[in-house]
Amino acid sequence: MEKLKAVSVDDSKTIIALIEKYLIELDIDIKTFLDPFEAIEYIKNNKIDFLFTDYVMPQVNGIDLVKTI
């Protein structure tokens, strides 16, 4: 069975590390991004099962990020 894949987008390295820690414990592959625009490009080119995003980021908010995808 293929592992589940997730993306985490946040401007906080602490939050990214926390989400990454929990998902690794659940045996979920995780790709993390501090830059939401890099995350958008990755998601457009890769299949993911989950997206974790911060709502308030300096470049774009989480809702707009999801709408863009």
Side-chain angles (χ1 to χ4, degrees):
M1 183 172 168
E2 190 174 324
K3 287 176 78 171
L4 294 173
K5 296 176 182 160
V7 166
S8 177
V9 187
D10 203 303
D11 59 329
S12 168
K13 291 180 182 179
T14 303
I15 298 299
I16 283 180
L18 184 64
I19 291 171
E20 186 174 35
K21 176 184 179 285
Y22 287 124
L23 293 180
I24 288 171
E25 288 176 6
L26 294 170
D27 199 31
I28 296 173
D29 285 337
I30 175 100
K31 179 81 173 161
T32 62
F33 296 92
L34 292 169
D35 182 336
F37 299 109
E38 288 179 14
I40 290 168
E41 287 305 310
Y42 179 84
I43 293 166
K44 285 181 178 179
N45 296 306
N46 295 277
K47 178 189 171 291
I48 65 166
D49 300 296
F50 302 103
L51 172 63
F52 297 87
T53 183
D54 187 3
Y55 177 73
V56 179
M57 294 182 281
Q59 296 172 309
V60 63
N61 73 47
I63 299 299
D64 289 338
L65 181 131
V66 171
K67 286 178 182 178
T68 300
I69 296 167

